[in-house]
Amino acid sequence: EPLFTAFGLFEMCFWSGSRTAIDAIRFNVAKMGQTILLGLLAMYLWMVMGIVSLREWHIENTCTNMFQCFCSYLFFAIRGDGVKDVLDGDSLIIPGNIVDAFVGNQIFAWRLIWDVSYWLLFVLILIAIISGIIIDAFSGMRDEVDAKEADIRSVCFVCNLDRFKLDQHGIGFDRHIATEHNPRWYLFFLLYLRVTPDSSLTGQESYVKNAVWPNKRFRWLPRENTLTLKVVEADDELAELNEKVQRMDQSIGYRLLALEGQIGRILMTVSGSTG
């Protein structure tokens, strides 16, 4: 049956490119729906003005009542080139001068304003707004994907330390990700805890398992902390302390030399007075 074979084509909706287009529309259904309702309101107002002033110029059997008129405008005006598609083109008389445009049974100036204003408002502006909403959705999704990729490239997934701090004060971001906080190792560790009986787990492993299941607490993860960063920071503190000690040693040495000079001058003074 062709009807059932068509369902297999919906597999394309799960492709990455198709999902992007579907998400761009799905996330903006409310905005596009409100824009379409605004367009229908504009179409209804133009329909009322057309019924009041140009009813006899409509195509036969297209505007005998409000419902038929609404369906005609919805079917022809939106899909075509505007409200001129619901009017009888053979009855249109192009005026030869400016006076004829504003007088007569068929006021050409009013029909021109009514037709062109609808074409500008609905066919051009409204369609452009809907297209802009979809394009903005694509742009927002692309920015979101770029931000996620930048975060993955510059921030550790486990400890949330950034690349700059690990490169400047640690063992380097890439080496840190590969040897210290490899996300795959943590995933394998959680899978091991999941399938291992509680009786075979150590105290630390039992603590982590009870924290993750069923409480879903992850305070056991190192947050903005790592062992090598601690060692490097400790080495930096020790180097800073050594530098302070050296400065104090030099200061004490200068003071001792000054004190020895003063004592020597005192002794010379005392010896000179006694002699």
Side-chain angles (χ1 to χ4, degrees), residues 30-93:
K31 294 181 180 179
M32 290 189 294
Q34 294 173 3
T35 306
I36 292 173
L37 288 177
L38 181 62
L40 292 176
L41 174 61
M43 187 199 71
Y44 183 80
L45 294 177
W46 260 254
M47 181 194 73
V48 172
M49 289 187 291
I51 293 175
V52 173
S53 59
L54 300 170
R55 186 166 187 173
E56 64 273 12
W57 306 111
H58 283 71
I59 299 175
E60 187 178 359
N61 296 325
T62 59
C63 201
T64 57
N65 54 59
M66 291 290 290
F67 179 77
Q68 187 185 53
C69 207
F70 179 80
C71 293
S72 298
Y73 275 71
L74 189 64
F75 186 77
F76 293 108
I78 295 179
R79 297 170 60 249
D81 296 328
V83 291
K84 76 180 187 64
D85 290 341
V86 299
L87 299 181
D88 187 3
D90 297 333
S91 62
L92 178 63
I93 300 175

Side-chain angles (χ1 to χ4, degrees), residues 217-228:
R217 295 196 308 266
F218 297 94
R219 297 182 61 183
W220 55 276
L221 289 172
R223 303 304 298 171
E224 298 186 355
N225 198 2
T226 180
L227 182 61
T228 55

Side-chain angles (χ1 to χ4, degrees), residues 81-119:
D81 296 328
V83 291
K84 76 180 187 64
D85 290 341
V86 299
L87 299 181
D88 187 3
D90 297 333
S91 62
L92 178 63
I93 300 175
I94 304 298
N97 53 67
I98 192 172
V99 176
D100 294 339
F102 291 92
V103 297
N105 296 330
Q106 182 185 122
I107 302 177
F108 177 80
W110 164 244
R111 180 168 176 175
L112 179 65
I113 295 172
W114 177 73
D115 189 354
V116 174
S117 60
Y118 178 88
W119 178 74

Side-chain angles (χ1 to χ4, degrees), residues 228-266:
T228 55
L229 188 62
K230 283 184 176 180
V231 173
V232 173
E233 289 178 349
D235 292 340
D236 293 340
E237 292 178 359
L238 182 60
E240 186 178 354
L241 289 175
N242 289 332
E243 186 178 354
K244 289 182 179 179
V245 170
Q246 291 178 0
R247 289 199 299 266
M248 292 176 64
D249 189 17
Q250 292 178 357
S251 178
I252 292 173
Y254 293 149
R255 292 181 180 180
L256 287 176
L257 290 175
L259 183 60
E260 289 178 357
Q262 292 177 2
I263 292 174
R265 288 193 295 271
I266 292 172

Side-chain angles (χ1 to χ4, degrees), residues 12-27:
M12 293 187 295
C13 297
F14 297 95
W15 296 352
S16 58
S18 301
R19 288 294 299 273
T20 302
I22 293 173
D23 290 340
I25 297 174
R26 180 168 59 91
F27 294 149

Side-chain angles (χ1 to χ4, degrees), residues 4 35 80 84 103 124 152 192 260 263 270-271:
F4 293 103
T35 306
K84 76 180 187 64
V103 297
L124 291 185
I152 292 175
Y192 163 76
E260 289 178 357
I263 292 174
V270 172
S271 61

